[in-house]
Amino acid sequence: MPANLTAEAKHKWREASQARRPEEKIEKLREFMSLVPKHKGTENLRAQVKRKIATLRREIAEKKRKKAGVGGPKFFVEKEGDAQIVVLGPTNVGRSSLLSLLTNAKVEISNYPYTTKELTPGMFQHQDLQFQIVEAPALMEGSADGGAWGLQTLTAARNADGLLLMIDLSRDSVEQFHLISRELEKARILTRKPKARVEIERKYMGAGLKVIVLGRLVDCTSKELEQLLKSYGIHDATVKIQGEATIDDVEDAIFEGTVYRPALIIANKADIPNITKKIEELKGLVGEEMKILPISCKEKLGLEMVGSEIFEMLDVIRIYTKEPHERFPSKKPFTVRKGSTVLDLAKRIHSDFYKQFSYARVWSRRLRFSPQKVGSAFILEDGDTVEIHMK
Ligand SMILES: Nc1nc2c(ncn2[C@@H]2O[C@H](COP(=O)(O)OP(=O)(O)OP(=O)(O)O)[C@@H](O)[C@H]2O)c(=O)[nH]1
Ligand SMILES: [Mg+2]
């Protein structure tokens, strides 16, 4: 259902998105809210704006605390390594135990509930990749409404590259899974791949509007979509549509609403007896869409699988690059989305690099002979080595 906002409301939104200082942004968002009619079609939007205001408020509070020199809870963890993975779950499921086994982070493990009270990161080496694992304070009923550390935890989840949803097999697993799903859903974080992906990348003034439809627009034309964007004051941007997108999906992207984060279920405490039935129950619930990895932090079972499951979940591949005059490829791979082409890689290396692209040589296990000379559209696979030649 579209939001059908008035021109005045859209104008206010524009002002809000242009506002730099959080205080000013809050004020504009408040004014914007007063112009949003209350009906079913704006329900999500209103919830989102409220959350945005709440997050901004916390941000202000955090800044003040920092200025005063008092160490308060962290709201964001700066990304390090190849991917940031946030560990979510109800209290006492073993999030700290997992973090301490995978990384060298110093954490407190205890059978008291709610021991972890702030975002706690650690680095986890998986083959030649580094995953930053972040334990978030426990989820509970009402987290998405801002209860306890809810905002902190769910903001971290929103900013992550992937999620570990952790469950304690010694308790009711289905209930725990429902709790996590409910709170994520309320915070508009999807863990199932959406049908459509809309990316709006703002560009410098004068760049113009460029709509790239890789998938399909279901209920509107490109022209209508451009009109919608312009009505929100978006004149300079590249908009990429993947999958089957509706005009609502695009509006949602304008408001930075729903995000998709891949997730993996970690079923901990697999050392306790009679877990088969519980895992089956969980499987019945989540189906094929999410993997379930049973582990035991206590007995150190299944931990060797965590790295490769995270890698699989992220849907990325590793590409090694080689300079034409060098003998060996880089030790550190680039991680790019599965299905990426040589050109996508060139863009990743440098935003302007690809313009002078001439050809590439690729070494790959799947090629009958390596290296092979390939063009920009060549689709890469995990482990490939690429040497790019410029014009
Ligand atoms: N039996 C069993 N107990 C475990 C396992 N992993 C953790 N525990 C215990 O579960 C309790 C909670 O562990 P934590 O790692 O502190 O759990 P948490 O999810 O970080 O909890 P909070 O931060 O307090 O929300 C501790 O008493 C652990 O010793 C496991 O694999 N098996
Ligand atoms: Mg903990």
Side-chain angles (χ1 to χ4, degrees):
M1 213 185 183
N4 281 331
L5 299 181
T6 61
E8 197 190 352
K10 286 177 178 174
H11 179 73
K12 203 41 91 181
W13 174 260
R14 193 153 50 198
E15 285 185 357
S17 30
Q18 281 161 1
R20 296 243 165 143
R21 283 184 313 116
E23 291 85 354
E24 190 191 345
K25 219 177 188 101
I26 290 178
E27 192 188 310
K28 298 288 180 206
L29 285 174
R30 279 249 193 81
E31 290 170 12
F32 169 71
M33 272 296 258
S34 68
L35 296 169
V36 176
K38 287 198 172 90
H39 59 74
K40 192 91 190 126
T42 62
E43 210 173 307
N44 287 332
L45 170 61
R46 280 178 286 134
Q48 254 160 252
V49 174
K50 271 193 207 154
R51 205 195 46 229
K52 209 167 204 157
I53 292 174
T55 312
L56 286 165
R57 275 219 194 90
R58 294 263 181 133
E59 229 174 79
I60 295 171
E62 192 183 354
K63 269 203 199 116
K64 276 194 186 141
R65 230 184 348 247
K66 267 199 192 138
K67 259 198 188 146
V70 192
K74 262 192 250 123
F75 225 73
F76 297 95
V77 174
E78 206 164 313
K79 289 192 182 185
E80 270 181 54
D82 296 293
Q84 189 184 61
I85 311 294
V86 168
V87 192
L88 294 178
T91 189
N92 269 344
V93 292
R95 303 185 317 288
S96 295
S97 306
L98 181 68
L99 187 69
S100 76
L101 286 167
L102 298 180
T103 76
N104 52 11
K106 296 268 172 293
V107 281
E108 194 182 338
I109 297 165
S110 103
N111 57 359
Y112 279 113
Y114 307 111
T115 305
T116 302
K117 295 181 179 66
E118 63 177 282
L119 299 169
T120 316
M123 294 309 291
F124 168 42
Q125 183 86 32
H126 167 67
Q127 295 174 2
D128 50 8
L129 293 177
Q130 286 220 306
F131 297 138
Q132 183 187 40
I133 310 285
V134 181
E135 180 187 1
L139 274 178
M140 64 190 91
E141 204 75 59
S143 287
D145 307 318
W149 310 273
L151 223 47
Q152 208 177 332
T153 294
L154 289 161
T155 305
R158 181 169 270 269
N159 291 324
D161 299 304
L163 307 173
L164 299 184
L165 312 182
M166 206 159 170
I167 275 169
D168 176 347
L169 287 170
S170 72
R171 292 182 270 157
D172 186 338
S173 316
V174 169
E175 197 185 294
Q176 294 171 70
F177 178 73
H178 277 318
L179 168 77
I180 300 173
S181 309
R182 233 178 4 247
E183 298 304 320
L184 283 176
E185 196 178 316
K186 272 207 245 160
R188 312 257 281 146
I189 300 168
L190 300 178
T191 52
R192 283 160 209 252
K193 232 187 207 150
K195 279 210 190 109
R197 199 163 72 225
V198 182
E199 283 170 49
I200 301 178
E201 194 190 331
R202 302 290 177 114
K203 295 276 178 183
Y204 56 89
M205 210 187 255
L209 207 53
K210 199 160 135 201
V211 178
I212 306 170
V213 184
L214 298 170
R216 193 169 74 88
L217 288 169
V218 179
D219 58 356
C220 64
T221 62
S222 290
K223 200 136 208 99
E224 283 166 328
L225 194 145
E226 279 182 28
Q227 274 166 3
L228 177 79
L229 290 158
K230 284 184 178 155
S231 75
Y232 281 103
I234 302 172
H235 296 280
D236 302 296
T238 302
V239 183
K240 223 193 248 178
I241 313 274
Q242 277 162 320
E244 309 256 299
T246 64
I247 199 146
D248 281 5
D249 293 328
V250 178
E251 199 165 39
D252 211 60
I254 294 174
F255 292 117
E256 298 154 31
T258 315
V259 292
Y260 161 67
R261 295 291 171 255
L264 162 70
I265 297 178
I266 302 280
N268 189 30
K269 312 200 185 178
D271 49 279
I272 62 140
N274 308 323
I275 55 159
T276 322
K277 193 168 152 260
K278 289 193 171 178
I279 291 170
E280 287 308 315
E281 264 174 8
L282 267 179
K283 269 196 187 139
L285 205 63
V286 299
E288 297 292 308
E289 291 182 58
M290 225 185 284
K291 275 247 183 102
I292 303 171
L293 179 64
I295 64 162
S296 163
C297 290
K298 190 178 164 204
E299 304 291 336
K300 300 195 171 63
L301 295 171
L303 293 169
E304 71 289 351
M305 295 297 294
V306 177
S308 51
E309 290 293 351
I310 290 177
F311 181 66
E312 186 131 318
M313 155 181 104
L314 291 171
D315 223 21
V316 292
I317 52 173
R318 285 167 297 184
I319 306 298
Y320 302 82
T321 53
K322 192 175 107 44
E323 297 282 338
H325 58 269
E326 299 271 347
R327 268 187 71 195
F328 298 105
S330 61
K331 284 222 169 58
K332 187 83 197 128
F334 274 92
T335 48
V336 295
R337 216 184 276 279
K338 222 182 238 174
S340 290
T341 61
V342 165
L343 191 64
D344 294 326
L345 173 74
K347 283 182 189 167
R348 261 296 295 286
I349 297 170
H350 193 288
S351 58
D352 275 343
F353 194 41
Y354 73 97
K355 286 182 188 152
Q356 286 113 41
F357 179 88
S358 170
Y359 69 94
R361 293 204 301 158
V362 173
W363 286 255
S364 177
R365 271 168 306 195
R366 73 187 180 291
L367 292 176
R368 241 191 300 151
F369 60 91
S370 287
Q372 243 176 59
K373 196 172 159 179
V374 301
S376 61
F378 183 83
I379 293 173
L380 296 165
E381 269 183 25
D382 186 46
D384 286 359
T385 295
V386 179
E387 181 185 277
I388 294 176
H389 290 258
M390 319 276 276
K391 273 183 213 147

